[in-house]
Amino acid sequence: MRGSRMNPGDRRTRSMMSIVIVMSLCCFFYILGAWQKSGTGRGDSIALRVTKETDCTILPNLHFETHHSLGGVNPLVMTDKVFEPCHIRYSDYTPCQDQNRAMNFPRENMNYRERHCPTETKKLRCLIPAPKGYVTPFPWPKSRDYVPYANAPYKNLTVEKAVQNWVQFEGDVFRFPGGGTMFPNGANAYIDELASVIPFTDGTIRTALDTGCGVASWGAYLMDRNVLTMSFAPRDSHEAQVQFALERGVPAVIGVLGTIKLPYPSGSFDMAHCSHCLISWKSNDAMYMFEVDRVLRPGGYWILSGPPINWKTNHQAWKRSKEDLEAEQNVIEKIAEMLCWGKIHEKGDTVIWRKKADSNECHNKDDHPSKMCKIQDADDVWYKKMEGCITPFPEEAQLRKFPERLFAAPPRILQGRTPGVTEEIFEEDNKLWKKYVSTYKRINKLIGSLRYRNIMDMNAGLGSFAAIIDSPISWVMNVVPTISEKNTLGIIYERGLIGIYHDWCEAFSTYPRTYDLIHANGLFSLYQNKCNMEDILLEMDRILRPEGAVILRDNVEVLNKVRRTVMGMRWKSKLLDHEDGPHIPEKILVSVKKYWVGNEEENSS
């Protein structure tokens, strides 16, 4: 016999061992792959080494710095669709507050100044151009006082409000002295007067609402006191109020007290303000005061300066009779008492009320004529009609002072008022976003610098992205989509941050070119099959400044579709792996909008 043959028993043993080894390896790699794909693991060691050794601090094809170039840029090719620029007349286009469309709606209760968005067939699907000469705004705090004329070339306010020190035109810039109709000597002096009553220094007051804000000087100067103000004004005959505010680096949106509830949750603000805001507080059975009460936190302050306050002195200047103004103030006083607001200060043209911390107990007294709302969810406000009734507010756990409240578990979580969000989930979310923001800063070293002042988070979740990057040199507009599974905007406000409800199937209530940096986590997955992805991206392009940056975090298949689309939008993009390695299906898409301006020859509609 040549060689030796294994007996049948040996062959069977080796065969069994081979099967066991193969099955073991299959199980091992299956478990490893499932672990990595879940996103909870850290990837294999090779992937980790590659991730660590890859230089993520430099993206050679992206330029985050501004160049202030005046030349145009040809659209990119290498895509199935190239988006043409809109006509230069659309450079300040606000789709849902379009002046021409507004004239078709009733004037009663300011309905025509509210949101009225174009239908699908009327939407512009082109790129909104910047005006000729557009430059990146001055860094904060210089931007508070100066805005380049080319960015918002409207001089009406410099004439109409000349004696009130709103804005002045000087050479090629606007200068904002900080004045207002009721504080021509400056917002700082006015705020000093308020500070004699309202505790600005101890972190009690963090979020404020300014109704009919003008150019938002009140909110601009409150930032020195670590107070974030949500300012709003309608798009009306006073051109560019909100546009000026955002160019200055102050949070603001186009908005009005009309027929629809304000897009903020109940109990959001520590303070609300009206300075000659021309809102008729006594109209419609004082419905607007009821709405302010809904968004004002128990213990919060309401400040009213201007008509009808100090009517004995000012009635002639306001061209109104003493009797009319006195009657109006009497109605306001009566409604304030019904709302359980106690007057704590009256001097000159200014009155301050404070909402009782135990307002529910006040309303429940037998001798108190309170008209209570029947609705169950006071935060369900998107396109919901305003009501002339008092919104009950659950007894609240003690809210921490700022900055402690930024990372302390908010009352809405402690009391279980946001289903599906626990203290443990809140803590884990903070840890996760600390890691993610660290990655963003490696990718783009300008995050956290003066380059990015106005920042938006399009799908804010619990607000942890904004909390991590919180800084005096920037602010974040935290947007909670109306279709989100969890309504978290109340939590965001309890953290001492600001934000708004919005449906991204529609345009945002702002002017073009008002944000320096836009972030979105899972937004396009959320809106799959809800509306056209192109429309959302075109809206992002509209509100993003030239040479502004975008950071998108989503599933790789979704981001590949986004990337193909933005190649035709004059964006430069790069797709990066997840922090935990290339096997994680979630990726990061980083983009920069190129600098270009419109001209009369580009007539796309």
Side-chain angles (χ1 to χ4, degrees), residues 19 52 59 128 135 171 210 439 494 533 599:
I19 292 172
K52 288 179 180 178
L59 299 182
I128 300 297
V135 296
D210 194 8
T439 297
E494 288 179 341
M533 181 182 72
N599 60 67

Side-chain angles (χ1 to χ4, degrees), residues 43 103 158 217 273 319 354 430 436 450 473 476 590:
M103 295 300 105
T158 66
S217 287
H273 176 253
K319 298 179 181 179
R354 190 178 187 193
N430 284 324
Y436 288 172
L450 293 172
I473 62 175
V476 179
V590 183

Side-chain angles (χ1 to χ4, degrees), residues 88-100 102 113 115 127-131 134 137 147 150-157 166 213-216 231-256 454 456 475 477 500 502 504 506-518 538-546 593:
I88 190 64
R89 67 174 175 270
Y90 292 108
S91 62
D92 289 327
Y93 182 53
T94 54
C96 295
Q97 285 89 8
D98 179 64
Q99 295 288 72
N100 294 327
R113 295 294 186 202
R115 289 176 57 84
L127 305 178
I128 300 297
Y134 177 88
V147 165
N151 290 12
Y154 305 107
K155 297 181 182 179
N156 287 2
L157 286 176
W166 278 34
C213 65
V215 295
S231 300
F232 71 83
R235 178 161 189 169
D236 58 12
S237 57
H238 295 322
E239 281 185 303
Q241 293 180 88
V242 168
Q243 189 175 23
F244 278 139
L246 287 153
E247 286 292 319
R248 298 174 72 186
V250 182
V253 293
I254 302 171
V256 65
N454 302 359
M456 174 181 282
W475 56 270
M477 181 67 76
I500 194 168
H502 184 65
W504 286 110
E506 299 179 357
F508 194 72
S509 293
T510 191
Y511 283 82
R513 303 171 301 281
T514 47
Y515 287 90
D516 305 301
L517 174 66
I518 296 177
L538 286 170
E539 176 61 6
M540 292 171 66
D541 183 81
R542 185 184 74 89
I543 67 178
L544 183 66
R545 298 194 195 280
K593 178 179 175 178

Side-chain angles (χ1 to χ4, degrees), residues 20 127 131 181 200 204-205 285 302 309 313 321 329-330 362 480 491 518 536:
V20 169
L127 305 178
T181 304
F200 288 127
T204 300
I205 305 300
D285 297 321
W302 188 54
I309 308 304
T313 302
S321 69
Q329 180 160 350
N330 287 338
C362 172
V480 173
I491 290 172
I518 296 177
I536 299 177

